[in-house]
């Protein structure tokens, strides 16, 4: 046990900074002499006077402690009642860290009705902690609001750090003995499950990725909205739907060549109402957009159709309520308004009962989760058309949110939509059901609380196996969430008990951020490559060149960069492929989109900086390029006119982005997927973006699953996984590259994504497609994968790829710009 000499570190120098990468275990026990003796006696006397008079003359805020690692706020204790001298917390934290820091700082604060005041802070040099030896310290607190003339206040803490490369899970894949998902966790890993992976809401009959699974069986991609339609149509007992948006006017089945009998023209609303009329319990829980108000036409800023959905189901047998993103009651009024207006319920789940094959009347539970909302603009296939089928397939579902005044009347390009979803059967499907029940019990109006059915595995037993492959095709699945106890029931209030369930307690809030932990641990286990598709890619702000106080602290991007760097220093191959939209959905020059684009640029620059430092450390400058290891891509399409194509009656205004895109016959494909594949053996699919909103746990609510097939893992002897995860990646790459598959290297190169040959083949294809996308002559693209519009030098410097520095057909800077008006919490 030791004691600090003073309460805070001197101004940090570069020599003091240590990159703390691993797990930090921190415990805050108690404070001593928090107020000096004279001040303490005055408080006690005042309290006695208040008690005798039955009045409250002095307001005492509750007390809590913030823990910062460098610029990163990593933990906050629960609030305890005011104590004049010795408040006690006795709270422990298990913290994944990837931060550059000179010191770990503890700040004791007093919470008031508005704001909080600092009572004192103390720091421990990071270098001492990084050595890995457990330490228990009394730290002198300095810099508080009160002068401490007779006693120096102190804080007792314990710290222990485990460096990531000393963790047995580091670089271990998932074949490590005893691996059973992330622990502790609210939902444990479940065995004997089945997972179906979907790319897009639909695929045409012509789509054939020609991928072979272990044993020689062909991989056959499934069609999401066809499967979902049939599952809802055939449900006998219940259908539970939760969504960011649930649009009752959409039709799920539209492909005439694959038409499901009876499905033509049937809207989602009609389908759900029909099931409810048959006696099936149908519960629908869309997010309530607080901006959907009468003076805005009930449309809402996000155009989720929430008020239309409520009106459609009003007076029917479907039980529907709009679920607001409420704040915890313990938060301040300002915080409550901020959360309810700025953040959303972003989960997209459908859980229902389906027939169990091989039984007379057996039924079991299935849950659909992922990135695809049941709303307009989501129907698309592998072709991602811009100008075709506008007067047929998309005549009632034309969406284009990137240009002002875009409409079917003004013509294409429509906004193509690429996404990923999945279906879960087995014990993990029950965890998705439990999440819906927890949210319904917490936020449904009292008149609807009793609508949930009493469901149990005894009534809906899971099958012994789900397919002909038996155990060789079974999956292990773990359900992850980003959610806090303002949105769900079932979280313990005691921080120690919450910690045993993998939950974090901060002030009076209990948070599940297992999605972020699932990503971090999967990255740390990765051995060969990582493939990501996501709507956003921003984080690791503590390592950015600027704006380190933006609050965008999620660890996913920096963990990836550090993984690549570690592999380079070891002389091992590793590759990362990241696919995002060309820009976030919206007018690209607008303030909010430009702010997000800038956060992305800072993230990318940070990552290439870390990779370049490792190249230098390994003595590879001039021999290796940062893009040999890390690459960013986007998706786009371009189409020549065809006979019989829809001709809009009105042209867009000349000189606008809309007009230029229509003239050049091109447009970005919006990447809305939330997917990560690691080493072709492990996959994460869900609703969570790779940004702070989705990963913090106390902002947008999210749900995801991490899964693998135990019989299809990479072998220690170099054997490669060839199960469904591998096939799904190959199917996605077939969609993105189409006729460019192989790019002169032969399709076999894509079987080893970590190889420099594969990296170069993918880059050549993407660069060729970018050239075809941007040249003056219009031609049909032979694929969709474009290099992201940045250029990376051999020294890791990031610049704009377009000569004018703007996205094609726009005046919007590729590097983004800082917003002078929007708070970072809104755009990160």
């Amino acid at each position: 046990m030791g004691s600090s000499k003073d309460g805070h570190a001197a101004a940090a120098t570069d020599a003091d900074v240590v990159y703390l990468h691993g797990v930090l275990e921190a415990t805050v026990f108690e404070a001593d002499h928090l107020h000096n003796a004279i001040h303490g006696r005055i408080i006690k006397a005042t309290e006695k006077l208040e008690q005798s008079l039955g009045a409250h003359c002095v307001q005492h805020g509750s007390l809590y402690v913030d823990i910062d690692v460098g610029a990163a706020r990593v933990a906050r204790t629960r609030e305890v009642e005011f104590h004049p001298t010795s408040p006690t917390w006795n709270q422990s934290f298990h913290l994944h860290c990837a931060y550059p820091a000179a010191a770990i700082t503890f700040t004791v604060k007093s919470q008031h009705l508005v704001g909080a005041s600092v009572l004192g802070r103390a720091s421990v040099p990071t270098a001492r902690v990084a050595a890995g030896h457990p330490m228990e310290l009394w730290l002198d607190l300095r810099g508080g609001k009160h002068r401490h003339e007779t006693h120096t206040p102190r804080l007792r803490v314990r710290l222990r750090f485990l460096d990531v490369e000393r963790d047995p899970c580091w670089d271990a894949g998932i074949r490590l003995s005893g691996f059973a998902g992330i622990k502790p966790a609210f939902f444990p890993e479940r065995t004997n499950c089945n997972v179906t992976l979907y790319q897009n809401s639909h695929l045409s009959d012509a789509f054939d990725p020609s991928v072979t699974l272990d044993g020689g069986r062909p991989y056959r991609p499934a069609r999401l909205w066809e499967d979902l339609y049939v599952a809802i149509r055939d449900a006998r007992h219940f259908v539970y739907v939760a969504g960011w948006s649930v649009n009752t006017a959409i039709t799920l089945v539209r492909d005439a060549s694959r038409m499901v009998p009876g499905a033509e023209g049937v809207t989602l609303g009609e389908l759900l109402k029909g099931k409810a009329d048959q006696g099936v319990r149908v519960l629908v829980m869309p997010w309530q957009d607080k901006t959907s108000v009468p003076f805005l036409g009930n449309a809402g800023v996000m155009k989720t159709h929430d008020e239309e959905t409520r009106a459609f189901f009003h007076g029917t047998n479907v039980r529907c309520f709009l679920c607001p993103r409420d704040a915890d009651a313990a938060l301040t009024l300002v915080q409550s308004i901020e959360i309810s207006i700025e953040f959303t319920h972003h989960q997209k789940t459908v859980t229902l009962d389906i027939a169990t094959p091989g039984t007379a009347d057996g039924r079991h539970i299935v849950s659909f989760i992922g990135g695809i909302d049941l709303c307009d603009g989501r129907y698309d296939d592998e072709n991602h058309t811009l100008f075709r089928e506008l007067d047929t397939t998309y005549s009632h579902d034309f969406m284009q949110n990137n240009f002002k005044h875009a409409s079917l009347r003004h013509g294409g390009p429509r906004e193509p939509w690429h996404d990923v979803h999945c279906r879960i059967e087995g014990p993990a499907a029950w965890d998705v059901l439990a999440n819906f029940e927890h949210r319904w019990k917490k936020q449904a109006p009292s008149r609807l609380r009793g609508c949930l059915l009493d469901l149990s595995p005894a009534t809906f037993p899971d099958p012994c196996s789900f397919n002909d492959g038996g155990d060789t095709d079974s999956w292990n699945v773990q359900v992850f969430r980003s959610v806090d106890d303002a949105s769900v029931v079932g979280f313990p209030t005691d921080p120690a008990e919450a910690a045993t369930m993998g939950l974090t307690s901060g002030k009076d809030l209990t948070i599940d951020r297992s999605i972020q932990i699932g990503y971090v641990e999967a990255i740390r286990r990765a051995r060969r490559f990582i493939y990501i598709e996501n709507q956003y890619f921003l984080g690791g702000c503590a390592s950015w060149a600027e704006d380190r106080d933006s609050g965008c602290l999620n660890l996913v991007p920096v963990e990836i960069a550090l993984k690549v760097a570690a592999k380079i220093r070891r002389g091992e191959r590793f590759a990362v492929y990241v696919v995002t939209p060309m820009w976030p959905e919206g007018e690209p020059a607008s303030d909010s989109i430009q702010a997000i684009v800038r956060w992305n640029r800072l993230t990318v620059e940070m990552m290439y900086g870390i990779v370049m430092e490792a190249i230098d450390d390994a003595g590879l400058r001039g021999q290796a390029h940062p893009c040999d290891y890390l690459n960013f891509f986007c998706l786009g399409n371009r189409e020549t006119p065809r006979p019989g194509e829809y001709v809009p009656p009105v042209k867009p205004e000349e000189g606008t982005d809309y007009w230029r895109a229509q003239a050049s016959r091109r447009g970005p494909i919006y990447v809305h997927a939330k997917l990560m594949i690691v080493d072709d053996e492990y996959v994460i699919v869900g609703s969570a973006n790779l940004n702070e909103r989705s990963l913090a746990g106390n902002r947008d609510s999210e749900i995801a699953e991490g899964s693998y097939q135990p019989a299809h893992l990479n072998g220690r002897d170099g054997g490669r996984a060839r199960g469904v995860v591998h096939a799904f990646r190959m199917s996605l790459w077939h969609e993105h590259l189409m006729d460019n598959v192989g790019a002169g290297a032969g399709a076999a190169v894509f079987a080893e994504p970590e190889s420099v040959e594969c990296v170069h083949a993918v880059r050549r294809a993407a660069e060729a497609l970018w050239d075809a996308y941007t040249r003056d002559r219009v031609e049909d693209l032979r694929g969709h994968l474009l290099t992201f519009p940045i250029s990376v030098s051999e020294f890791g410097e990031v610049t704009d790829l377009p000569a004018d520095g703007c996205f094609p057909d726009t005046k919007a800077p590729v590097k983004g710009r800082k917003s002078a008006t929007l708070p970072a919490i809104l755009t990160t």
Side-chain angles (χ1 to χ4, degrees):
M1 185 178 292
S3 176
S4 63
K5 292 183 179 179
D6 59 33
H8 55 280
T13 66
D14 288 343
D16 298 322
V17 174
V18 174
Y19 221 112
L20 205 63
H21 186 204
V23 172
L24 177 65
E25 294 177 348
T27 302
V28 178
F29 293 106
E30 60 187 321
D32 187 30
H33 300 298
L34 193 55
H35 299 279
N36 64 48
I38 296 175
H39 184 244
R41 284 197 295 270
I42 293 173
I43 290 173
K44 289 180 180 177
T46 304
E47 287 176 341
K48 289 182 178 179
L49 178 62
E50 288 177 353
Q51 292 171 4
S52 65
L53 296 175
H56 296 284
C57 306
V58 178
Q59 292 289 326
H60 304 312
S62 52
L63 306 176
Y64 63 95
V65 181
D66 284 337
I67 306 176
D68 298 322
V69 177
R73 173 70 40 80
V74 297
R76 173 172 282 169
T77 68
R78 64 191 173 99
E79 293 182 352
V80 299
E81 291 185 7
F82 174 84
H83 191 283
T85 55
S86 304
T88 300
W89 292 273
N90 288 332
Q91 188 170 347
S92 297
F93 300 91
H94 183 85
L95 305 168
H96 291 80
C97 293
Y99 310 111
I104 298 171
T105 302
F106 298 84
T107 305
V108 182
K109 294 182 177 180
S110 177
Q111 180 66 53
H112 305 299
L113 187 62
V114 178
S117 57
V118 174
L119 301 182
R121 60 171 55 91
S123 297
V124 181
T126 308
R128 287 182 62 190
V129 179
H133 306 298
M135 56 178 65
E136 191 167 317
L137 308 166
W138 277 103
L139 302 174
D140 291 348
L141 295 167
R142 305 288 188 187
K145 61 179 283 191
H146 301 294
R147 294 179 59 195
H148 306 286
E149 299 174 349
T150 58
H151 293 80
T152 299
R154 303 184 302 167
L155 181 71
R156 185 162 70 96
V157 302
R158 182 168 60 212
L159 294 168
R160 182 176 180 269
F161 176 70
L162 175 65
D163 186 84
V164 71
E165 295 200 38
R166 293 201 295 266
D167 187 331
C169 297
W170 171 258
D171 210 37
I174 56 173
R175 194 176 282 277
L176 183 68
S177 176
F179 174 73
I182 65 170
K183 293 182 176 180
F186 190 89
F187 294 123
E189 180 181 288
R190 308 294 189 180
T191 60
N192 191 35
C193 297
N194 189 51
V195 175
T196 303
L197 299 170
Y198 300 97
Q199 59 194 96
N200 306 309
S201 58
H202 186 62
L203 294 169
S204 75
D205 258 346
F207 184 76
D208 180 12
S210 299
V211 181
T212 302
L213 300 167
D214 268 344
R217 289 174 298 150
Y219 171 68
R220 302 193 185 282
R223 276 73 177 171
L224 172 62
W225 277 10
E226 288 181 10
D227 287 358
L228 184 59
Y229 175 89
V230 171
I232 295 174
R233 181 198 67 188
D234 294 346
R236 292 186 183 177
H237 299 276
F238 73 99
V239 179
Y240 293 172
V241 180
W244 174 82
S245 172
V246 179
N247 185 349
T248 58
I250 64 167
T251 54
L252 297 177
V253 184
R254 309 183 194 182
D255 187 343
S257 67
R258 296 180 53 90
M259 184 52 61
V260 176
E264 186 172 4
V266 177
T267 67
L268 176 64
E270 292 166 346
L271 181 63
L272 293 173
K273 277 205 306 184
K275 295 311 295 183
D277 290 342
Q278 293 171 16
V280 174
R281 181 62 52 87
V282 180
L283 306 182
V284 180
M285 181 170 54
W287 166 59
Q288 181 181 37
D289 183 350
K290 291 291 185 70
T291 67
S292 297
V293 291
F295 73 87
L296 293 177
N298 284 333
V301 171
M302 304 302 291
K303 300 177 182 177
T304 62
H305 305 280
D306 56 336
E307 288 296 338
E308 295 173 32
T309 302
R310 171 161 48 187
F312 182 89
F313 288 127
H314 179 71
T316 73
N317 289 320
V318 174
R319 299 293 175 256
C320 172
F321 84 97
L322 303 186
C323 187
R325 174 60 179 99
D326 286 342
D328 189 271
L331 297 182
T332 66
L333 179 61
V334 172
Q335 290 171 321
S336 297
I337 294 173
E338 183 178 73
I339 287 172
S340 63
I341 296 295
E342 295 179 355
F343 301 131
T344 77
H345 286 306
H346 200 237
Q347 298 177 349
K348 307 108 172 38
T349 71
V350 178
T351 301
L352 40 69
D353 66 287
I354 66 170
T356 302
T359 65
D361 294 305
R363 312 288 295 180
H364 67 276
I365 301 302
V366 63
S367 292
F368 294 82
I369 70 170
I372 303 180
D373 298 281
L374 292 172
C375 67
D376 42 330
R378 272 46 173 183
Y379 185 88
D380 211 341
D381 62 18
E382 75 280 3
N383 296 305
H384 299 298
T385 187
L386 299 169
F387 295 96
R388 295 161 192 165
E389 303 178 54
L390 298 189
D391 54 349
T392 55
T393 303
Y394 301 103
S395 61
H396 300 291
D397 192 10
F398 178 92
M399 190 174 79
Q400 176 53 269
N401 290 324
N402 296 306
F403 308 131
K404 279 185 179 179
H405 310 303
S407 68
L408 182 62
R409 177 174 170 79
H410 292 90
R414 61 176 285 271
E415 182 180 350
W417 201 270
H418 174 73
D419 220 326
V420 170
H421 217 75
C422 73
R423 181 173 88 164
I424 305 170
E425 298 169 86
W430 287 89
D431 293 335
V432 179
L433 170 64
N435 168 76
F436 182 94
E437 293 174 332
H438 295 166
R439 287 186 54 198
W440 189 275
K441 290 176 181 177
K442 180 71 175 186
Q443 292 198 262
S446 55
R447 61 183 174 81
L448 296 179
R449 297 269 170 88
C451 290
L452 290 167
L453 297 180
D454 185 12
L455 304 171
S456 74
T459 310
F460 298 96
D462 292 319
C464 295
S465 66
F466 292 94
N467 44 54
D468 296 337
D471 291 342
T472 62
D473 284 336
S474 72
W475 292 72
N476 288 11
V477 181
Q478 187 167 19
V479 173
F480 306 135
R481 290 190 293 186
S482 292
V483 73
D484 62 31
D485 58 8
S487 300
V488 294
V489 299
F491 286 2
T493 56
D494 175 54
E497 185 181 353
T500 66
M501 305 170 74
L503 306 175
T504 300
S505 299
K507 296 181 77 171
D508 281 341
L509 199 62
T510 304
I511 303 166
D512 185 345
R513 53 171 61 105
S514 54
I515 294 179
Q516 181 171 178
I517 295 170
Y519 269 96
V520 168
E521 295 206 357
I523 293 164
R524 292 183 177 185
R525 287 180 173 275
R527 302 175 67 197
R528 293 173 173 169
F529 77 92
I530 292 169
Y531 176 67
I532 285 174
E533 294 183 0
N534 206 279
Q535 182 182 2
Y536 297 100
F537 192 80
L538 28 141
C541 70
S543 300
W544 288 355
E546 54 189 271
D547 288 313
R548 294 180 180 178
D549 60 351
S550 68
C552 192
L553 288 167
N554 82 80
L555 298 177
V556 173
V558 69
E559 287 283 355
I560 290 172
L562 292 171
K563 167 63 76 168
V564 173
K567 288 290 193 173
I568 293 171
R569 292 188 177 100
R570 288 184 178 188
E572 300 175 6
R573 277 300 307 166
F574 196 86
V576 177
Y577 307 80
V578 180
V579 181
T580 66
M582 193 178 297
W583 67 77
E585 187 180 30
E587 296 170 33
S590 66
D591 209 25
S592 60
I593 301 305
Q594 282 289 293
I596 298 170
V597 168
R598 181 171 174 272
W599 302 136
N600 175 257
R601 174 61 74 90
L602 289 171
T603 301
V604 170
E605 289 174 343
M606 172 270 293
M607 295 177 73
Y608 278 120
I610 291 172
V611 171
M612 192 64 219
E613 184 179 347
I615 289 174
D616 285 342
D617 290 347
L620 296 174
R621 180 178 282 245
Q623 303 173 50
H625 193 287
C627 291
D628 290 343
Y629 307 93
L630 173 65
N631 286 280
F632 294 88
F633 304 94
C634 57
L635 301 181
N637 199 8
R638 198 170 196 183
E639 294 175 337
T640 57
R642 284 190 179 179
E645 186 179 276
Y646 170 75
V647 178
V650 181
K651 290 287 186 181
E653 181 182 348
E654 188 170 342
T656 62
D657 292 355
Y658 193 7
W659 177 82
R660 283 188 289 268
Q662 191 173 95
S664 63
R665 302 282 299 187
R666 64 189 171 200
I669 297 168
Y670 197 63
V671 179
H672 192 258
K674 298 91 171 57
L675 165 81
M676 183 170 77
I677 291 174
V678 177
D679 296 341
D680 272 351
E681 63 182 2
Y682 186 81
V683 60
I684 295 178
V685 174
S687 67
N689 296 311
L690 295 182
N691 60 3
E692 200 63 20
R693 291 179 65 111
S694 287
L695 298 180
N698 60 346
R699 297 188 182 184
D700 291 349
S701 67
E702 310 282 4
I703 191 166
E705 62 89 13
S707 57
Y708 60 95
Q709 293 177 285
H712 299 285
L713 304 178
N714 293 304
R716 293 292 182 188
D717 58 355
R720 306 190 72 95
R722 289 295 179 262
V724 174
V725 178
H726 161 75
F728 188 64
R729 177 186 61 81
M730 293 292 285
S731 184
L732 288 165
W733 284 22
H734 177 74
E735 174 188 335
H736 299 332
L737 293 169
M738 293 292 191
D739 293 341
N740 282 270
V741 168
V749 73
F750 293 97
E752 298 184 6
E754 74 274 18
S755 70
V756 71
E757 292 80 9
C758 182
V759 172
H760 289 172
V762 173
R763 282 192 59 83
R764 281 195 302 271
E767 288 166 359
L769 287 166
W770 175 263
D771 289 343
Y773 183 84
T774 54
R775 68 171 59 110
D776 290 338
R777 179 170 56 86
V778 176
E779 62 183 83
D780 289 329
L781 287 193
R782 297 171 59 237
H784 298 134
L785 189 74
L786 312 177
T787 183
F788 196 79
I790 58 173
S791 179
V792 182
S793 76
E794 62 177 323
F795 308 117
E797 300 161 327
V798 181
T799 55
D800 303 330
L801 182 59
D804 64 355
C806 295
F807 295 110
D809 301 321
T810 80
K811 301 297 183 183
V814 170
K815 65 182 178 181
R817 71 173 177 271
K818 190 168 186 175
S819 173
T821 56
L822 296 175
I825 194 172
L826 186 64
T827 54
T828 56

